[in-house]
Amino acid sequence: RDAERQATKAKTSQKKNQVEPAKFDEVARPITRLLQSPTTISRAEQLMVMWATCARPGCTLQLKKEDVAVVGVNGLRVVFRRGKAQQLMKRPLPIHTNIPSAWAQPLRDLLARTAVGQFLWPFPTAMARGLGTKALSDDLRTTNPLLRARSIRRGALRHMAAAGVPEETLLMFSGH
């Protein structure tokens, strides 16, 4: 009987912690809305980078100006030098990807207003990163109440897999 209760409890807690993967439009809609206000543009820019690189929120919050470049019309180059992805790989993790062309200019603007050596987003401490991640989760929940910041990573990887991206590339983007 105790074993049965423990199995039920484990199954229930597993469902609670499961992350709902975001779909592209569930990320793009909050981005479009957030770009409309000067006070929320930075959250839109972070969501763009998270989706494009399949990155964890904490990893994107530790990016500095020199870690990111918009290349050409819609190319994005990001080198993760800090955060969990880098710690797991034990070396910087470079990501080269394409972004929707509408995202290129806001990211160029972000880079233009950030000094070399500065974080792109003002959340350099663990406590501040937690608050920033909560704000991103709240933004995503405007399109789907089941989403949270971690949903972007899972959804972006699924989106890439459905588009036929090779497994080797998916593993690179996921930091494995």
Side-chain angles (χ1 to χ4, degrees):
R1 187 134 174 113
D2 284 336
E4 192 176 304
R5 281 188 197 139
Q6 287 177 344
T8 302
K9 187 176 179 181
K11 189 176 180 181
T12 303
S13 68
Q14 185 179 22
K15 285 181 184 177
K16 285 180 189 174
N17 293 327
Q18 202 163 13
V19 177
E20 174 80 12
K23 295 176 182 69
F24 175 76
D25 65 314
E26 293 175 326
V27 177
R29 282 185 298 202
I31 287 172
T32 301
R33 183 180 47 76
L34 292 167
L35 285 172
Q36 304 307 309
S37 170
T39 60
T40 58
I41 287 174
S42 65
R43 291 204 314 266
E45 295 157 342
Q46 187 188 359
L47 287 170
M48 291 174 196
V49 172
M50 286 174 62
W51 179 267
T53 62
C54 307
R56 295 171 179 87
C59 292
T60 57
L61 287 172
Q62 295 181 72
L63 289 170
K64 292 186 176 185
K65 178 179 182 156
E66 56 272 20
D67 299 328
V68 179
V70 178
V71 183
V73 176
N74 67 335
L76 181 67
R77 185 183 72 234
V78 178
V79 180
F80 291 96
R81 301 176 200 280
R82 293 160 292 283
K84 189 172 184 177
Q86 184 276 329
Q87 290 170 0
L88 292 172
M89 300 294 286
K90 301 203 184 315
R91 62 177 172 75
L93 176 63
I95 299 289
H96 303 269
T97 189
N98 290 326
I99 54 175
S101 55
W103 293 4
Q105 192 56 52
L107 292 176
R108 281 189 183 97
D109 294 344
L110 167 68
L111 294 170
R113 70 176 182 265
T114 305
V116 174
Q118 297 297 305
F119 288 102
L120 294 175
W121 297 285
F123 300 108
T125 66
M127 183 179 198
R129 284 192 297 274
L131 293 173
T133 300
K134 183 187 178 321
L136 293 173
S137 294
D138 293 344
D139 294 331
L140 290 171
R141 287 188 184 118
T142 63
T143 59
N144 179 343
L146 299 176
L147 297 181
R148 49 189 177 192
R150 290 176 36 203
S151 300
I152 293 177
R153 181 173 165 79
R154 177 174 275 187
L157 288 165
R158 285 191 180 184
H159 183 76
M160 290 173 67
V165 171
E167 185 176 354
E168 179 181 304
T169 303
L170 293 172
L171 290 171
M172 188 221 21
F173 268 77
S174 67
H176 294 98

